[in-house]
């Protein structure tokens, strides 16, 4: 078949037209003597071109022909060109599976298994497969017979004789026959063991559901019983040997390869439990110890091999436990964990290629269907199917899933499973990854019928179906809930009110009846608002159910929607702004504080849709807005009302950012740097309160004195306020200082300063819908008995003559916050020598600080409080860490400039950098301080009022746990971790604070 140089042969051109990617190599193969009798037959070329990979199919055909005897070769080629069924089947398999081509090259006569084309051959069952494996007497012959059966099964699949569901069922039936054959071989090799016990093999997972992959672990559970007169212990040992041998027969790799792994890890106690148990032992475990996921796995339990009566008894015995799982105590938190995608263990470079575990993957469909089966199967036996597609169909027929949604999911699932099948069929390897290589993608696309541009068509279809799953897998839980309260067309199935309540309860709603009323109020009617709500609610309900308090989330959404439903921008914001709806769901269902702030001014919801909306405003920006508002107001009270409104809005911004950063969203993971979260909250609330005080000060002065007060006046932040470490519920600790203006008497200046302080405090505590800002001046000289405000000279005289060591310690936090900047700086310069004494503290001062700390621990801890869980005063809590750091500041601040800061974490880092505390100890203290600060923030966010200890209410405690990053059902771990972290911190405090005085 030679051609002139530079010209391509007509065969080359025809090969290219028929889909060969390497026509030159294919031309050389066709020139081989082995194919001389068929090389010019147009039927062969057409058939090769119809396969998924014509090059692969031709190579496989050549290998089979060359491996056969002369007579067999002629029969094969003659049959190939004259019998279309064989041609389609054999070449179809060779073009789709390199592994089955390898098998045929090793066993060239096995092509004859594809010749028969009787109607009974089209859909074989377990009996037919058992017949095909009947001659297998050892592991090698079983592997050969298994591959021969698999060859016929794959041929029916690639030729379209069977659809996805039929292929998966046949694969499961072949696995059943293989398990029976392997068990028979094991029994034959150990007849004495077989005589002592009854052994049943129960298939689980995809094999149990008759929806198996080409290559998948076959999940099983073994049940054994002693035969009459045999000791149970000996019988179980014998059964275990038989079961282990059966597993090895299937799983071991021999010269004929392997079949598949037999996985018994779904058994009670997993790998740590006995391989074989009696039926009573299984039941005892399931009744006492089993987790929800184990009952989910038992959905698919099916007796497949061994003693049929024992297997049937097992399935019958566990069935009531499976369908009663939804009544178990921990079902709701278990469900929340099961619904949350676990993709953390998938490498980032693989997650987009994951057909099974990635977003929009097969497991999304399977888990959603199984969960709905568990919830509703207890009262509807029609849902008791191990097959995902059959169960999905039953859920749609019963109204548990919308018909349109079920149809879309069915189509997507079939497509994704078909992709999975063809990917695994190529090399018969267990994988769920979509290949990256262009040739592999081309073969995959062509195997699914895509011929124009296989790679582009495949990627487009795959992304479309994955998108459908991603969009619907959550909505199918919730859309029927809306149908349950909606007017449906005649003949449409709907979820009954009882079934809807059952589903809501299973998803974590404590008051399903109230939830249904909210859904009806939100989604009923024919208005545009109701239509948009019906679109939004299925997604929102999922986000609410992902929280610790779904009921509060749904109620809050109804309140916000009632308040804003008629404003056109609100629903448009939620519909179009992407993250806005999820952000709102997180905020509304995470506790009381943020929703309370939002309800007082619902228009603040716009913050959640603005890409920059969750970024805290700077103090300069806030002061500018506040002072401008005061300047426009008619009187002091209306001015401060506006100022407090700004504070409320900014508190909402801060709480929303904190919650969303702590919870994370679907597109943005939770913030891992918890210290950064605490710092952001502390700085934002401090800046906000400073701006609020500045506004109240300006309003009080303008009301009585116009633009100029007779005395210069400054507000000094103290405590957490001065340290930029305020939590949501903190008071603002302050000192007030003034200095008379030139020509103003001390008496007049003092009266003006005191009047301003009184008016500021009154204005900031007026009863309104906005949260008050409480100003606490108890850290002033002489405490509550001393004057509220002093001149700078008076402070100087007091501190020079009377100051105590605790006052010097308190002044470590002093920072100018509002009013006259020059006066504020002068005050700070005045107190610097007190808080950072030259040469540090003397031994008497150190002893006094330790005595004060010990006294505070014994006297100020609330009666009955658990000292291991009190975030402020408890062991290793905020006070412990802060006093330790402050002692270092007072001892070494004079020499180390980095220690001259009002912020605890900054001072601790500076102390570590200066080698004043080991890095490990500094980290231990920092972790404890951050954790305790987050606990206080969490309590305020969840309860709407400040607190220093974990809530006792279970739902509130769970909400604190979610904020701190713990999954549902893990509050015990949270408390253990808190005690462990603070116990380590206390050990550092004992050494560094109560240790040597140096």
């Amino acid at each position: 078949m030679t051609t002139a140089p530079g010209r391509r042969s007509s065969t080359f051109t025809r090969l290219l037209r028929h889909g060969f990617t390497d026509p030159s190599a294919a031309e050389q193969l066709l020139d081989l003597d082995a194919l001389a009798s068929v090389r010019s037959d147009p039927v062969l070329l057409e058939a090769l071109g119809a396969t998924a990979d014509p090059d692969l199919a031709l190579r496989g055909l050549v290998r089979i022909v060359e491996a056969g005897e002369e007579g067999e070769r002629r029969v094969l080629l003659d049959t190939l060109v004259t019998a279309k069924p064989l041609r389609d089947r054999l070449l179809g398999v060779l073009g789709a599976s390199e592994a089955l081509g390898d098998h045929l090259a090793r066993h060239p006569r096995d092509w004859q298994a594809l010749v028969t084309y009787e109607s009974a051959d089209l859909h074989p069952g377990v009996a037919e497969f058992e017949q095909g494996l009947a001659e297998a007497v050892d592991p090698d012959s079983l592997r050969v017979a298994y591959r021969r059966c698999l060859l016929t099964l794959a041929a029916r699949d690639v030729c379209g004789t069977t659809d996805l569901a039929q292929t998966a069922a046949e694969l499961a039936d072949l696995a059943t026959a293989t398990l029976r054959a392997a068990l028979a071989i094991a029994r034959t090799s150990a007849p004495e063991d077989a005589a002592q016990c009854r052994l049943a093999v129960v298939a689980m997972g995809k094999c149990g559901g008759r929806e198996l992959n080409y290559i998948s672990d076959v999940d099983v559970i073994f049940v054994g019983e002693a035969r009459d007169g045999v000791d149970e212990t000996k019988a179980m040992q014998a059964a275990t040997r038989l079961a282990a041998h059966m597993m090895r027969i299937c799983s071991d790799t021999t010269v004929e390869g392997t079949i598949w792994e037999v996985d018994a890890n779904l058994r009670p106690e997993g790998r740590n439990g006995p391989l074989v148990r009696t039926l009573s032992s299984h039941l005892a475990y399931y009744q006492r110890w089993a987790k929800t996921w184990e009952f989910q796995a038992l959905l698919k339990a099916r007796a497949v091999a061994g003693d049929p009566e024992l297997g049937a008894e097992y399935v019958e015995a566990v069935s009531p436990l499976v369908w009663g799982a939804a009544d178990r105590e921990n079902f709701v938190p278990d469900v929340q964990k099961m619904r949350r995608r676990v993709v953390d263990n998938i490498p980032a470079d693989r997650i987009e290629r994951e057909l099974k575990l990635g977003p929009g993957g097969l497991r999304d469909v399977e888990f959603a269907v199984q969960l709905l089966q568990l919830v509703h199967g207890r009262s509807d036996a029609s849902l008791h199917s191990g097959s995902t597609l059959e169960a999905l169909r039953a859920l749609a027929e019963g109204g548990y899933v919308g018909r349109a949604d079920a149809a879309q999911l069915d189509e997507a699932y079939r497509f994704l499973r078909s992709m999975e099948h063809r990917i695994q069929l190529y090399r018969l390897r267990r994988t769920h990854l979509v290949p990256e290589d262009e040739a592999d993608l081309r073969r995959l696309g062509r195997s699914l019928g895509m011929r124009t541009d296989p790679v582009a068509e495949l990627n487009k279809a795959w992304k479309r179906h994955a998108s459908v799953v991603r969009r619907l897998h959550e909505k199918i839980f919730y859309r029927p809930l809306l149908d349950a309260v909606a007017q449906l067309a005649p003949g449409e199935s709907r979820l009954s009110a009882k079934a809807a309540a059952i589903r809501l309860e299973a998803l974590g709603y404590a008051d399903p009846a109230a939830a249904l009323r909210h859904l009806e109020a939100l989604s009923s009617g024919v208005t545009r608002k109701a239509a948009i709500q019906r679109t939004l609610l299925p997604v929102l309900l999922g986000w609410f159910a992902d929280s610790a308090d779904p009921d509060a989330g749904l109620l809050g959404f109804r309140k916000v929607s009632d308040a804003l439903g008629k404003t056109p921008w609100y629903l448009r914001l939620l519909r179009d702004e992407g993250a806005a709806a999820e952000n709102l769901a997180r905020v509304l269902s995470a506790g009381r504080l943020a929703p309370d702030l939002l309800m007082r001014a619902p228009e603040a919801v716009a913050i959640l849709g603005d890409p920059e909306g969750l970024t805290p405003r700077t103090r300069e920006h806030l002061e500018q807005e506040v002072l401008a508002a005061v300047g426009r107001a008619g009187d002091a009270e209306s001015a401060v009302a506006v100022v407090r409104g700004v504070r409320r809005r900014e508190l909402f911004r801060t709480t929303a950012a904190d919650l969303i950063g702590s919870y994370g969203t679907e597109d943005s993971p939770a913030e891992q740097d918890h210290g950064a979260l605490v710092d952001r909250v502390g700085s934002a609330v401090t800046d906000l309160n400073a701006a609020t005080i500045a506004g109240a000060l300006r309003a009080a002065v303008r009301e009585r004195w116009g633009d100029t007060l007779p005395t210069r006046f400054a507000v000094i932040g103290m405590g957490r306020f001065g340290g930029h470490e305020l939590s949501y519920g903190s008071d603002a600790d302050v000192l007030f200082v003034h200095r008379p203006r030139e020509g103003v008497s001390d008496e007049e200046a003092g009266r003006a300063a005191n009047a301003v302080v009184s008016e500021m405090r009154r204005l900031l505590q007026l009863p309104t819908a906005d949260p008050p800002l409480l100003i606490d001046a108890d850290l002033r000289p002489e405490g509550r008995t001393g004057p509220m405000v002093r001149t700078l000279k008076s402070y100087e005289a007091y501190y020079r003559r009377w100051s105590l060591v605790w006052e010097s310690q308190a002044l470590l936090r002093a920072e100018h916050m509002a009013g006259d900047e020059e006066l504020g700086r002068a005050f700070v310069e005045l107190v610097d020598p007190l808080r950072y004494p030259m040469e540090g503290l003397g031994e008497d001062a150190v002893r006094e600080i330790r005595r004060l700390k010990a006294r505070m621990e014994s006297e100020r801890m609330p009666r009955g409080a658990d000292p291991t869980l009190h975030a402020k005063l408890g062991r290793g809590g905020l006070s412990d860490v802060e006093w330790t750091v402050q002692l270092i500041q007072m001892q070494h601040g004079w020499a180390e400039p980095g220690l001259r800061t009002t912020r605890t974490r900054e001072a601790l880092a500076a102390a570590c950098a200066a080698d004043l505390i080991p890095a490990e100890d500094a980290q231990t203290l920092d972790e404890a301080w951050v954790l305790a600060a987050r606990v206080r923030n969490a309590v305020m966010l969840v309860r709407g009022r400040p607190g220093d200890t974990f809530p006792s209410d279970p739902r509130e405690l769970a909400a604190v746990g979610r904020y701190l990053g713990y999954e549902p059902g893990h509050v015990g771990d949270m408390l253990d971790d808190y005690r462990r972290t603070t116990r380590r911190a206390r050990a550092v405090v004992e050494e560094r604070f109560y240790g040597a005085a140096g």
Side-chain angles (χ1 to χ4, degrees):
M1 199 182 288
T2 60
T3 58
R7 296 188 59 191
R8 289 178 171 172
S9 70
S10 60
T11 304
F12 183 100
T13 305
R14 278 189 296 145
L15 290 169
L16 206 58
R17 193 170 62 247
H18 280 97
F20 285 83
T21 57
D22 190 353
S24 298
E27 200 169 4
Q28 291 175 6
L29 290 174
L30 287 169
D31 277 344
L32 294 173
D33 291 341
L35 297 185
S37 64
V38 297
R39 72 164 63 103
S40 59
D41 195 311
V43 171
L44 176 62
L45 211 54
E46 289 286 343
L48 285 167
T51 66
D53 187 339
D55 302 84
L56 179 65
L58 179 57
R59 289 198 300 272
L61 178 61
V62 169
R63 292 177 67 198
I64 300 171
V65 172
E66 291 182 337
E69 301 289 337
E70 177 63 33
E72 294 169 354
R73 183 184 309 172
R74 191 164 48 252
V75 172
L76 167 60
L77 293 176
D78 288 347
T79 311
L80 192 68
V81 295
T82 58
K84 180 174 174 23
L86 171 71
R87 189 165 59 246
D88 291 345
R89 286 176 161 201
L90 178 58
L91 296 182
V93 168
L94 291 174
S97 178
E98 185 177 71
L100 288 176
D102 292 343
H103 170 82
L104 284 166
R106 285 197 309 275
H107 304 280
R109 294 179 180 175
D110 278 5
W111 67 267
Q112 295 175 31
L114 302 177
V115 174
T116 55
Y117 206 71
E118 304 301 325
S119 57
D121 175 54
L122 295 184
H123 302 295
V126 176
E128 287 77 17
F129 286 127
E130 282 190 290
Q131 188 177 348
L133 302 176
E135 296 179 8
V137 293
D138 57 45
D140 278 342
S141 59
L142 180 60
R143 279 154 177 67
V144 174
Y146 173 82
R147 284 282 204 280
R148 189 183 304 120
C149 290
L150 190 65
L151 179 67
T152 65
L153 192 157
R156 288 187 294 276
D157 179 17
V158 298
C159 292
T161 307
T162 53
D163 66 9
L164 177 278
Q166 292 168 325
T167 300
E170 286 187 20
L171 284 164
D173 287 346
L174 176 55
T176 296
T178 306
L179 290 170
R180 292 178 182 178
L183 184 56
I185 294 171
R187 280 175 168 159
T188 301
S189 66
E192 64 286 355
D193 283 346
Q196 292 187 68
C197 64
R198 299 167 64 200
L199 177 65
V201 184
V202 178
M204 305 285 282
K206 284 188 163 56
C207 184
R210 294 191 73 236
E211 51 184 13
L212 197 59
N213 297 330
Y214 274 100
I215 294 294
S216 174
D217 290 354
V218 172
D219 296 310
V220 299
I221 283 177
F222 295 104
V223 191
E225 295 290 347
R227 294 196 182 276
D228 291 342
V230 179
D231 175 72
E232 185 177 290
T233 302
K234 289 184 177 180
M236 289 300 99
Q237 291 171 345
T240 300
R241 288 191 291 269
L242 286 174
H245 191 189
M246 187 205 84
M247 292 173 69
R248 290 196 302 274
I249 289 169
C250 296
S251 304
D252 284 354
T253 301
T254 73
V255 292
E256 289 293 343
T258 185
I259 302 177
W260 20 246
E261 290 288 327
V262 177
D263 188 341
N265 289 334
L266 292 177
R267 66 186 183 270
E269 299 180 74
R271 293 180 181 179
N272 298 322
L275 184 62
V276 184
R277 287 176 184 257
T278 63
L279 178 56
S280 60
S281 176
H282 275 283
L283 293 178
Y285 172 84
Y286 289 131
Q287 288 164 348
R288 186 170 184 186
W289 302 111
K291 304 285 193 301
T292 299
W293 71 263
E294 293 177 276
F295 294 112
Q296 180 195 9
L298 286 168
L299 272 173
K300 297 181 180 293
R302 181 171 63 93
V304 292
D307 191 303
E309 291 182 4
L310 180 57
E313 286 176 38
Y314 172 89
V315 173
E316 185 179 353
V318 300
S319 181
L321 300 176
V322 172
W323 303 114
D327 296 322
R328 290 165 56 86
E329 181 181 353
N330 292 319
F331 182 74
V332 171
D334 286 348
V335 162
Q336 288 179 317
K337 280 185 283 187
M338 284 156 51
R339 283 178 48 252
R340 204 166 289 113
R341 272 191 220 100
V342 183
V343 296
D344 295 346
N345 295 327
I346 306 174
D349 61 332
R350 293 174 53 177
I351 192 167
E352 290 302 320
R353 297 190 293 127
E354 258 284 351
L355 269 180
K356 181 178 180 180
L357 301 177
L362 292 164
R363 198 180 70 165
D364 279 349
V365 182
E366 292 160 358
F367 266 41
V369 169
Q370 290 163 23
L371 182 53
L372 290 175
Q373 286 181 275
L374 285 176
V375 171
H376 298 293
R378 51 184 165 173
S379 58
D380 189 342
S382 71
L383 305 181
H384 296 189
S385 171
S387 160
T388 300
L389 291 172
E390 287 180 11
L392 184 57
R393 189 180 313 116
L395 286 164
E397 289 173 356
Y400 303 105
V401 172
R403 288 184 185 275
D405 290 346
Q408 283 188 283
L409 276 181
D410 182 284
E411 181 187 0
Y413 186 73
R414 287 175 185 271
F415 179 83
L416 295 173
R417 282 295 304 273
S418 296
M419 277 185 71
E420 183 183 44
H421 274 190
R422 300 302 163 82
I423 291 169
Q424 293 182 349
L425 179 59
Y426 175 49
R427 288 202 172 113
L428 290 181
R429 290 181 183 168
R430 182 175 181 264
T431 179
H432 309 288
L433 285 179
V434 177
E436 294 179 290
D437 182 74
E438 185 87 4
D440 291 333
L441 290 170
R442 182 175 183 273
R443 180 191 319 104
L444 180 56
R446 284 174 61 90
S447 76
L448 295 170
M450 301 166 183
R451 296 302 165 93
T452 307
D453 186 352
V455 176
E457 291 175 54
L458 173 69
N459 281 323
K460 183 178 179 181
W462 171 34
K463 299 302 181 189
R464 176 170 60 84
H465 286 298
S467 174
V468 166
V469 173
R470 199 159 51 240
R471 191 178 73 250
L472 288 182
H473 100 279
E474 285 282 351
K475 288 186 179 181
I476 67 169
F477 291 107
Y478 304 107
R479 268 198 182 147
L481 295 168
L482 302 185
D483 293 341
V485 296
Q487 297 294 319
L488 297 187
E492 280 286 313
S493 299
R494 77 158 77 209
L495 209 59
S496 69
K498 181 181 178 182
I502 288 172
R503 184 176 302 188
L504 282 164
E505 192 172 2
L507 292 164
Y509 288 82
D511 189 348
L516 283 173
R517 289 195 300 273
H518 298 324
L519 290 179
E520 184 171 16
L522 286 163
S523 63
S524 60
V526 294
T527 63
R528 177 175 172 274
K529 171 187 171 185
I532 294 175
Q533 298 277 34
R534 283 194 291 272
T535 303
L536 287 171
L537 276 167
V539 186
L540 288 168
L541 285 168
W543 286 324
F544 294 148
D546 196 34
S547 73
D549 196 347
D551 301 79
L554 181 55
L555 173 60
F557 182 67
R558 180 179 176 182
K559 287 180 177 178
V560 174
S561 296
D562 287 347
L564 297 178
K566 293 182 179 178
T567 56
W569 61 265
Y570 167 62
L571 292 172
R572 188 170 63 244
L573 169 81
L574 296 184
R575 185 190 62 194
D576 300 337
E577 291 299 330
E582 185 178 5
N583 288 345
L584 178 61
R586 298 296 180 206
V587 166
L588 290 176
S589 56
R592 295 180 184 174
L593 179 61
D596 286 350
L597 292 168
L598 180 60
M599 295 310 168
R600 289 167 185 155
E603 64 276 4
V605 77
I607 288 171
L608 302 177
D610 181 353
E612 299 299 318
L614 298 178
T615 304
R617 298 294 183 257
T618 63
R619 188 187 301 190
E620 292 74 20
H621 183 285
L622 292 169
E623 282 197 12
Q624 187 177 4
E625 180 182 2
V626 161
L627 296 179
V630 171
R632 290 191 299 268
D635 56 57
E637 290 193 4
S638 57
V640 172
V642 175
V643 170
R644 288 173 64 178
V646 171
R647 179 170 179 267
R648 178 203 56 236
R649 183 197 70 208
E650 295 304 316
L651 272 176
F652 174 71
R653 187 193 309 277
T654 305
T655 58
D658 189 16
L659 289 167
I660 292 162
S662 297
Y663 270 71
T665 63
E666 289 189 355
D667 296 327
S668 177
E671 170 69 68
Q672 295 303 306
D673 186 350
H674 295 159
L677 280 173
V678 170
D679 290 345
R680 279 202 290 272
V681 171
S683 294
V685 178
T686 297
D687 288 346
L688 178 54
N689 285 356
T692 303
I693 289 173
L697 174 59
R698 175 69 63 87
V701 171
R702 283 183 75 241
E703 183 81 353
R704 184 167 171 184
W705 293 279
D707 292 332
T708 306
L709 190 67
T711 185
R712 297 184 184 278
F713 186 90
V715 181
I716 307 299
M718 299 287 285
R720 297 191 182 288
F721 187 28
H724 297 258
E725 294 162 357
L726 287 176
S727 59
Y728 297 113
S730 300
D731 297 346
D733 290 318
V734 299
L735 297 178
F736 299 111
V737 58
H738 76 104
R739 182 163 57 191
R741 294 185 185 276
E742 193 172 339
V744 177
S745 68
D746 288 352
E747 292 77 9
E748 182 185 352
R751 284 196 299 272
N754 277 289
V756 164
V757 169
S758 297
E759 180 66 358
M760 281 174 59
R761 298 182 78 183
R762 184 186 74 84
L763 291 171
L764 290 172
Q765 294 178 47
L766 284 172
T768 69
D770 296 317
L773 173 57
L774 300 178
I775 294 179
D776 187 340
D778 288 352
L779 291 175
R780 64 188 183 270
E782 302 178 70
R784 293 182 181 179
T785 61
M788 183 66 71
V789 58
R790 289 174 181 260
T791 63
L792 188 63
K793 286 183 178 180
S794 174
Y795 276 108
E796 183 179 8
Y798 175 85
Y799 288 139
R800 184 174 62 246
R801 187 171 183 185
W802 303 109
S803 176
L804 300 174
V805 68
W806 74 262
E807 291 177 297
S808 298
Q809 183 183 352
L811 288 169
L812 285 167
R813 305 290 205 117
E815 182 175 304
H816 173 253
M817 285 294 171
D820 191 289
E821 287 189 28
E822 184 182 339
L823 179 59
R825 281 196 301 273
F827 181 89
V828 170
E829 290 170 4
L830 168 69
V831 301
D832 270 352
L834 289 168
R835 54 186 180 176
Y836 311 124
M838 189 63 65
E839 303 299 332
L841 293 174
E843 290 187 14
D844 289 345
V846 172
R847 273 196 299 272
E848 176 64 11
I849 288 174
R850 289 173 177 160
R851 188 187 65 78
L852 287 170
K853 176 73 169 73
R855 179 181 164 191
M856 186 181 74
E857 288 178 16
S858 63
E859 293 181 2
R860 293 183 59 188
M861 179 72 69
R863 182 177 298 176
D866 183 346
T868 67
L869 293 175
H870 198 281
K872 183 177 181 181
L873 302 174
R875 179 195 69 187
L878 295 170
S879 176
D880 267 3
V881 177
E882 288 163 3
W883 281 63
T884 302
V885 172
Q886 288 162 12
L887 181 58
I888 295 173
Q889 286 181 281
M890 295 183 77
Q891 288 174 310
H892 302 283
W894 65 277
E896 290 291 340
L899 292 173
R900 297 170 207 161
T901 174
T902 63
R903 305 179 189 223
T904 302
R905 298 188 72 215
E906 274 188 17
L908 183 56
C912 181
D915 293 327
L916 298 173
I917 183 172
E920 185 178 351
D921 286 357
Q923 183 177 352
T924 298
L925 293 179
D926 187 69
E927 287 177 0
W929 189 90
V930 167
L931 179 56
R934 292 200 80 215
V935 168
R936 294 184 90 207
N937 284 345
V939 170
M940 183 67 183
L941 285 167
V942 168
R943 303 180 70 191
R945 60 183 187 274
D948 293 315
T949 59
F950 289 89
S952 56
D953 178 79
R955 180 158 281 205
E956 291 179 346
L957 188 61
V960 168
R962 292 301 308 280
Y963 172 83
L964 294 178
Y966 291 86
E967 298 292 331
H970 286 271
V971 294
D973 294 339
M974 171 181 69
L975 298 178
D976 288 345
D977 289 347
Y978 182 86
R979 287 189 172 104
R980 187 182 309 112
T981 301
T982 54
R983 183 175 64 246
R984 289 201 301 262
R986 179 64 183 196
V988 175
V989 172
E990 293 285 353
E991 180 181 354
R992 300 288 160 192
F993 182 82
Y994 289 111

